[in-house]
Amino acid sequence: MSTFRRVATISFNATLRTYLSGSNLFWIVAFPILLSFLISLWLGSDGDTAVSRLGITYETPRGDQASREFVRVSKVFGVYLIFCFSTLLTRAGNLHDERRRGTLQRTLVAGVPYSEIVAAHLVSLILVGALQAVIVLVGTGLLGTRWLATGWGSVILPVAGTIFAASGIALGIAGLLRNPGIVQLLAGGAPSILALMGGAFFPLDVAPAGVQRLAAVNPMYWAMEALSGGFVYSGWASQAAPMAILFLFGVIGMVIGVQGLRRFEP
Amino acid sequence: MTASIRQMGVITAHLIRKVAFNPAVVWLIAMPLVIIYILGITMHGLFSAEFTPVKPYRIVVALPEEAGFLVERISRAPKHFAVEEARDAQEARQAVFQRQADAAIVAADGDEPLTVIAPPGSIVLEMLAGVVQASLEQEAQQVAAAQPPVENGSREESDTGARSAGAADGALSAMPWEGVGSFEYFSIGLIVMFMAFASHSAMVHCVQDRSTGAYLRIRALGVTRAVYLGAGITSGMLLGAGFSLVMAVITWTLFRVVWGNAAAWALMTIAGAASVASLSFLLTALLPSDPKGVENAGGTVYSLLAFFGGSTVPLTIMPRWFSEIFSWLPNRKMLDGYLKIVKGAGVKEIEQELFGLAAAALIMLGLAWLVVMLLKREEV
Amino acid sequence: MATHAAVQEARGQAAGDPSIVVEGLRKSFGKNVAVDGLSFTVHPGEIFGLLGPNGAGKSTTLSIMAGLIRPDSGDVKIGGHSVIRETQRAQRLMGVVPQGLAVYEELTAAQNLDYFAKLRGIEKKRRRQEIEEILELVGLSGVAHRKVAQYSGGMKRRLNVGIGLLGRPRVLLLDEPTVGIDPQSRRHILDSVRRLAESGMAVVYTTHYMEEVEYLCSRLAIIDRGRVIAHGPIDEVRALAGDAVVLRLPFPRGVLDEAAKVESLQNTLPMPVEVTSGELRIVLPQGSRQAPAVIEELQRHGVPLDGMRLESPNLETVFLSLTGKALRDGKAAEEGAMA
Ligand SMILES: Nc1ncnc2c1ncn2[C@@H]1O[C@H](COP(=O)(O)OP(=O)(O)O)[C@@H](O)[C@H]1O
Ligand SMILES: [Mg+2]
């Protein structure tokens, strides 16, 4: 059996099992949609401050009406960011879980090299992330969020960058920590704080200079930048830099993860 | 009777000991402190009346001579705006588009005299719009004073504009968070949120006992179910109140939060603890024999309540109608009450919140009892 | 029983080259020596028993044999391939049944088997057939499409064994596969293992139940704290106890001065005295003729003699007389009583 086939089998199994648990289904799928819906309700009222008044016209940097949707879309995207990170960080413990259960050892005895198991684990993180993104984006889209107002690229790039970065970071966490309680705590608490500090729910202008500088090492800040680059500014050109940084986050996380997991090799 | 009370006391003490001497208690205290600190610093600007950006916003203008008053007006706030002139509207637009400037004001081609270009939803747009509008109104009034007969339309429009702005100001001063700093706000918000977790941990231990058989052992000693449940609720209440007390002292030491009238605070804390304990009891009644499930349900419910009740996402950034439809939540009542107390309210001013919480506690206890009765199996 | 062992032995010798060769295994975790110089061989068709109390080093030995842990020294050859130098080739020849329940509870038995079969590289057509055979063998055909989470402990154990049989391995390593299950499931597993050996598999079976070794194995090693204390064909090992018999006596807990009594007995009697889960055990190295003296001593201590009996030599007697302690600690003994 080829490496490719084995990695595919393992990652498919891990992904399938993720979705077989009722509580996972709730947390990964239903809850994010529900919450995003409530958020978009919340935003129903404000959002468009920019109606013409008193002889003033308001224009977005791109100059089109569609990019006004950014106000609403960005808040829902913020909620999505929280769920993407908390889902993938939770799944980061999966490999240690398998070690505790003994299924990891069993897989090794079946003749699968450890490196392939780690690779499959990463692929499964990305798959779970991608599946969640599709479900949440379609779900909230049907509930009224106009994701595609300014075209596919505005949304797909930031979402893909987020999934890649979050998967890498999750793998990195798995390489550093193996205590399930601590990983769980991190997955529950860190994403909302990162979102608030990354400007997902209110503009970072109100934060002091130190917090604004800290945003540079916050993947969620760059995800928001990639989104605004697509919706408000020049599209591809302004998305390139934040995308590159998100990619870097993912790669650094993966390197740390692979190195760290090697320590735990049976 | 006295035997029951003594038994209840013993079980309550046991449950409290189990929670308080568990290493997890460190997280219960450290987590909210870290979050208070982070949110307090991050949202400092949202809670102070005067907002000044870290660096002045770069505003590019391309305006005809007649609009000189506008440029002059904007330049009067150098801490907020740094004004640059562009050759033409095209260049100004490009500057914003290329993100070399934060916003631009250009003369429009159509009948409207001005176009403001800025990212939607941004603070620079809010501020600039405010200033531009105000100075246009002022200019219009001056023109009107010099030349009495002008078109009625714009006059009216400026009036309504002024009125609605005034109305908004008046409403703002009545807002519960008005005059409270970010550290005070989030100390209150997170204590309210984590009080529920603290209280809940007593109930989680009760359910754990049930699943390990320790409960049966206790029942076999002649403890009735009511006594056991009573002990669970009592220890939940005491843990909630104790948590609140400990956190009040810590936040006072670390963040200088002044907690105001002691009697009002104590009453608020007791009423709040009663409401969280009864909510926890209700959750437990629904999932009687699954400790992990009870713990997770608590996590979900309390996080949601914290979200909608203004603990984690502050009321300041919620639209008013949204915060109003959730004002009946018990944790929101607690938040409102503590906010009032911090602002100097006595017992009299928080009566409404106290009654609300007491009513909530009674309703949830009643519901929980109903559930317990309905789900009652062979157990006596 | 004896004939079964004899048949196995005959089969083993006839088959020529051993399937498993373990040579001088040594492994320590920090200062704790888990395996201390273990060697044995197993021929095709033979069931080799590794008997020892908890913490003896059985699981560590099996993990080394499965290529999951590097030994500090020594080597294991499976079908002539070293698990250290040709790990994956050796692994392809063996099936492993770990001590823990290494199954996915959220999947069905069929899904579990299918997954590990794929990873072993068994092609589609053979996979189906083999999974059916295994389900039949472990008696789970009827519930193959139910989630494992709904299984009883015994069913989970049987699935755990079944997964180890995928790929028709020549060598099967079982690590306490019957811990904490009902008698039927236990019987089922023991009989399956026997049948597999009859079909020519070489089996290593670890346990702390001496009855299982007596029932299954032709040869065994008894280990304690990583060290081999007895090794060889089962009859030879049994004979190591010599004339020794064990005097067993119910010794109810809650007798006021129990601890003091035991201590005093241990001081006065020249032989090992042990108390486990309400039973007093005294090894009589020279056989039953020592009994009267001991009984007298017991009476002198005021120990009630109801239910006293003498036990003829068996593996447990061997262990007790060689180490001075019971094969099962209190907890394990309780588990055994439940099973
Ligand atoms: N990964 C490990 N790290 C440290 N010590 C271990 C590890 N695995 C086993 N041990 C120790 O090695 C000894 C033998 O353990 P084990 O092989 O599990 O015994 P058994 O399976 O016979 O009960 C025990 O003292 C155990 O504590
Ligand atoms: Mg073991």
Side-chain angles (χ1 to χ4, degrees), chain A residues 22-55:
Chain A
S23 72
N24 273 354
L25 271 186
F26 176 75
W27 279 109
I28 298 178
V29 179
F31 191 56
I33 292 182
L34 182 78
L35 205 56
S36 319
F37 176 60
L38 286 168
I39 296 269
S40 34
L41 261 188
W42 161 6
L43 292 160
S45 63
D46 65 11
D48 243 348
T49 46
V51 283
S52 307
R53 261 194 291 179
L54 214 91

Side-chain angles (χ1 to χ4, degrees), chain C residues 29 32-35 52-61 69 99 175-176 223:
Chain C
F29 298 103
N32 180 4
V33 183
V35 181
N54 281 338
K58 304 183 296 291
S59 296
T60 307
T61 305
I69 296 181
Q99 182 174 3
D175 194 359
E176 310 207 23
I223 55 177

Side-chain angles (χ1 to χ4, degrees), chain A residues 1 5-7 9-14 16-18 20-21 91 98 101-114 265-266, chain C residues 66 68-69 88 91-92 94-98 100-107 111 115-116 118-121 127 147 159-161 163-164:
Chain A
M1 202 178 185
R5 291 265 299 279
R6 277 195 300 256
V7 171
T9 307
I10 298 173
S11 49
F12 176 75
N13 175 273
L16 176 75
R17 283 186 296 108
T18 305
L20 278 179
S21 124
R91 299 310 298 161
E98 295 223 28
R101 290 207 247 185
T103 43
L104 175 72
Q105 288 83 335
R106 188 153 236 169
T107 309
L108 285 166
V109 174
V112 182
Y114 188 60
E265 192 162 0
Chain C
L68 292 172
I69 296 181
Q88 278 169 34
Q91 281 172 338
R92 258 189 294 248
M94 66 174 128
V96 178
V97 177
L101 283 172
V103 298
Y104 296 109
E105 305 233 337
E106 59 272 55
L107 302 181
Q111 284 170 327
Y115 174 66
F116 287 107
K118 273 186 195 153
L119 292 182
R120 274 206 84 128
R127 202 157 68 215
K147 278 195 180 174
L159 174 62
N160 195 36
V161 172
I163 295 173

Side-chain angles (χ1 to χ4, degrees), chain B residues 47-278:
Chain B
F47 284 83
S48 54
E50 264 306 297
F51 168 67
T52 318
V54 172
K55 270 192 289 178
Y57 292 117
R58 292 157 301 172
I59 314 294
V60 181
V61 295
L63 293 169
E65 293 273 310
E66 311 91 85
F69 71 94
L70 193 57
V71 177
E72 193 263 334
R73 171 76 190 255
I74 296 170
S75 312
R76 251 191 269 156
K79 278 197 180 141
H80 296 85
F81 303 114
V83 184
E84 286 164 43
E85 306 243 354
R87 255 183 289 123
D88 52 21
Q90 185 54 31
E91 195 187 79
R93 277 202 169 83
Q94 271 303 311
V96 178
F97 190 60
Q98 306 287 349
R99 306 185 77 167
Q100 285 146 5
D102 295 301
I105 309 174
V106 300
D109 337 307
D111 351 323
E112 311 273 31
L114 287 178
T115 300
V116 173
I117 303 154
S122 63
I123 290 191
V124 61
L125 175 60
E126 295 285 318
M127 291 182 75
L128 202 57
V131 172
V132 171
Q133 230 164 285
S135 55
L136 282 189
E137 275 163 22
Q138 213 176 22
E139 188 67 11
Q141 270 161 20
Q142 276 164 17
V143 173
Q147 284 178 307
V150 271
E151 346 122 49
N152 272 335
S154 85
R155 192 57 190 271
E156 249 168 43
E157 208 172 0
S158 76
D159 271 3
T160 48
R163 215 179 309 123
S164 69
D169 274 346
L172 208 71
S173 56
M175 290 297 173
W177 63 83
E178 177 86 338
V180 173
S182 58
F183 278 101
E184 286 163 328
Y185 185 93
F186 287 112
S187 294
I188 293 171
L190 281 135
I191 288 175
V192 167
M193 174 180 181
F194 275 79
M195 202 168 156
F197 282 100
S199 181
H200 196 59
S201 47
M203 273 297 172
V204 170
H205 278 291
C206 280
V207 181
Q208 246 165 29
D209 278 356
R210 201 180 262 273
S211 69
T212 58
Y215 171 70
L216 287 179
R217 204 158 257 170
I218 292 171
R219 289 293 311 271
L221 296 173
V223 175
T224 64
R225 201 152 75 117
V227 165
Y228 189 76
L229 291 177
I233 298 171
T234 314
S235 47
M237 240 185 100
L238 289 175
L239 280 168
F243 172 80
S244 190
L245 180 64
V246 169
M247 290 298 287
V249 172
I250 298 179
T251 50
W252 173 70
T253 328
L254 288 183
F255 309 129
R256 297 274 146 227
V257 177
V258 178
W259 286 92
N261 186 319
W265 182 89
L267 282 177
M268 196 65 220
T269 303
I270 292 168
S275 78
V276 290
S278 33

Side-chain angles (χ1 to χ4, degrees), chain A residues 7-266:
Chain A
V7 171
T9 307
I10 298 173
S11 49
F12 176 75
N13 175 273
T15 311
L16 176 75
R17 283 186 296 108
T18 305
Y19 284 92
L20 278 179
S21 124
S23 72
N24 273 354
L25 271 186
F26 176 75
W27 279 109
I28 298 178
V29 179
F31 191 56
I33 292 182
L34 182 78
L35 205 56
S36 319
F37 176 60
L38 286 168
I39 296 269
S40 34
L41 261 188
W42 161 6
L43 292 160
S45 63
D46 65 11
D48 243 348
T49 46
V51 283
S52 307
R53 261 194 291 179
L54 214 91
I56 310 170
T57 323
Y58 295 98
E59 206 178 290
T60 67
R62 264 163 69 131
D64 54 354
Q65 278 298 319
S67 53
R68 288 243 157 81
E69 286 297 322
F70 177 70
V71 179
R72 236 158 283 184
V73 166
S74 68
K75 299 279 173 11
V76 181
F77 185 71
V79 179
Y80 162 70
L81 282 181
I82 294 182
F83 282 105
C84 174
F85 271 77
S86 85
T87 298
L88 294 186
L89 288 184
T90 309
R91 299 310 298 161
N94 197 9
L95 199 60
H96 299 311
D97 230 37
E98 295 223 28
R99 190 189 308 276
R100 262 187 303 279
R101 290 207 247 185
T103 43
L104 175 72
Q105 288 83 335
R106 188 153 236 169
T107 309
L108 285 166
V109 174
V112 182
Y114 188 60
S115 55
E116 287 181 14
I117 299 178
V118 172
H121 182 62
L122 178 63
V123 172
S124 152
L125 283 173
I126 293 177
L127 276 178
V128 169
L131 215 54
Q132 181 191 39
V134 169
I135 295 169
V136 172
L137 264 58
V138 169
T140 51
L142 292 175
L143 291 173
T145 308
R146 294 188 53 208
W147 292 108
L148 298 180
T150 60
W152 287 86
S154 309
V155 177
I156 287 189
L157 285 182
V159 168
T162 302
I163 293 170
F164 188 80
S167 303
I169 292 170
L171 198 72
I173 299 280
L176 293 175
L177 305 169
R178 62 199 296 198
N179 181 331
I182 294 180
V183 172
Q184 202 49 51
L185 210 72
L186 208 66
S192 349
I193 296 179
L194 282 181
L196 284 167
M197 294 183 77
F201 296 112
F202 55 88
L204 269 191
D205 309 31
V206 300
V211 174
Q212 290 188 27
R213 269 197 297 276
L214 221 57
V217 292
N218 181 344
M220 294 210 189
Y221 170 78
W222 294 108
M224 293 308 292
E225 282 291 293
L227 188 78
S228 68
F231 262 86
V232 180
Y233 295 103
S234 53
W236 303 93
S238 10
Q239 284 172 299
M243 286 301 291
I245 294 171
L246 284 175
F247 186 74
L248 197 67
F249 267 110
V251 170
I252 291 174
M254 285 169 201
V255 170
I256 293 175
V258 168
Q259 292 298 332
L261 288 170
R262 195 174 289 168
R263 278 188 305 148
F264 299 146
E265 192 162 0

Side-chain angles (χ1 to χ4, degrees), chain C:
Chain C
M1 218 179 281
T3 48
H4 174 65
V7 170
Q8 257 189 58
E9 250 194 285
R11 211 162 43 215
Q13 270 135 31
D17 286 347
S19 300
I20 305 173
V21 179
V22 175
E23 262 174 13
L25 279 195
R26 208 173 290 276
K27 173 77 191 176
S28 42
F29 298 103
K31 280 206 183 109
N32 180 4
V33 183
V35 181
D36 193 1
L38 184 63
S39 307
F40 59 86
T41 56
V42 186
H43 288 269
E46 199 182 6
I47 305 175
F48 184 83
L50 263 183
L51 181 65
N54 281 338
K58 304 183 296 291
S59 296
T60 307
T61 305
L62 246 62
S63 291
I64 295 171
M65 294 176 73
L68 292 172
I69 296 181
R70 285 281 112 97
D72 298 338
S73 61
D75 197 359
V76 177
K77 290 210 176 70
I78 306 286
H81 302 289
S82 155
V83 293
I84 296 172
R85 273 167 284 109
E86 310 161 85
T87 311
Q88 278 169 34
R89 284 202 65 174
Q91 281 172 338
R92 258 189 294 248
L93 298 176
M94 66 174 128
V96 178
V97 177
Q99 182 174 3
L101 283 172
V103 298
Y104 296 109
E105 305 233 337
E106 59 272 55
L107 302 181
T108 66
Q111 284 170 327
N112 266 289
L113 285 163
D114 188 59
Y115 174 66
F116 287 107
K118 273 186 195 153
L119 292 182
R120 274 206 84 128
I122 305 171
E123 324 127 33
K124 198 162 182 180
K125 235 170 53 204
R126 243 188 66 210
R127 202 157 68 215
R128 253 237 210 104
Q129 189 194 344
E130 210 174 288
I131 290 173
E132 259 164 42
E133 278 172 23
I134 289 174
L135 284 169
E136 192 65 40
L137 184 75
V138 297
L140 292 174
S141 296
V143 290
H145 298 287
R146 258 207 265 152
K147 278 195 180 174
V148 175
Q150 301 166 1
Y151 284 13
S152 72
M155 289 156 83
K156 286 178 192 169
R157 283 269 157 212
R158 281 185 271 150
L159 174 62
N160 195 36
V161 172
I163 295 173
L165 302 178
L166 284 165
R168 304 201 169 111
R170 279 163 54 187
V171 166
L172 182 63
L173 312 177
L174 298 120
D175 194 359
E176 310 207 23
T178 60
V179 169
I181 58 173
D182 55 293
Q184 282 91 340
S185 286
R186 183 182 198 181
R187 194 58 192 223
H188 201 125
I189 288 177
L190 293 182
D191 286 338
S192 310
V193 171
R194 249 188 174 181
R195 247 178 299 150
L196 289 165
E198 274 156 22
S199 73
M201 225 177 241
V203 179
V204 176
Y205 190 98
T206 87
T207 181
H208 63 252
Y209 299 129
M210 64 97 187
E211 313 86 83
E212 293 187 346
V213 174
E214 300 246 12
Y215 181 68
L216 286 176
C217 307
S218 56
R219 290 189 310 125
L220 81 154
I222 300 182
I223 55 177
D224 182 37
R225 277 180 252 154
R227 199 125 6 126
V228 178
I229 57 173
H231 177 192
I234 195 154
D235 296 328
E236 281 175 31
V237 172
R238 220 182 270 129
L240 282 178
D243 297 331
V245 295
V246 180
L247 187 151
R248 300 170 69 155
L249 184 61
F251 193 72
R253 271 182 251 223
V255 176
L256 261 180
D257 44 355
E258 175 191 319
K261 246 179 227 170
V262 172
E263 210 183 310
S264 163
L265 276 171
Q266 278 165 339
N267 288 337
T268 37
L269 290 171
M271 59 277 285
V273 177
E274 259 239 334
V275 177
T276 13
S277 45
E279 194 180 52
L280 189 69
R281 300 167 188 224
I282 303 173
V283 183
L284 312 180
Q286 277 120 54
S288 46
R289 60 201 144 87
Q290 283 179 303
V294 173
I295 292 169
E296 200 172 303
E297 195 61 37
L298 287 172
Q299 276 171 330
R300 213 170 57 75
H301 278 80
V303 178
L305 296 178
D306 312 324
M308 183 189 76
R309 63 200 165 97
L310 288 176
E311 200 172 71
S312 56
N314 60 32
L315 293 176
E316 190 138 20
T317 350
V318 173
F319 190 82
L320 199 52
S321 64
L322 291 180
T323 66
K325 60 181 188 184
L327 192 49
R328 304 180 206 169
D329 54 25
K331 189 166 160 274
E334 268 164 33
E335 269 173 27
M338 268 178 355

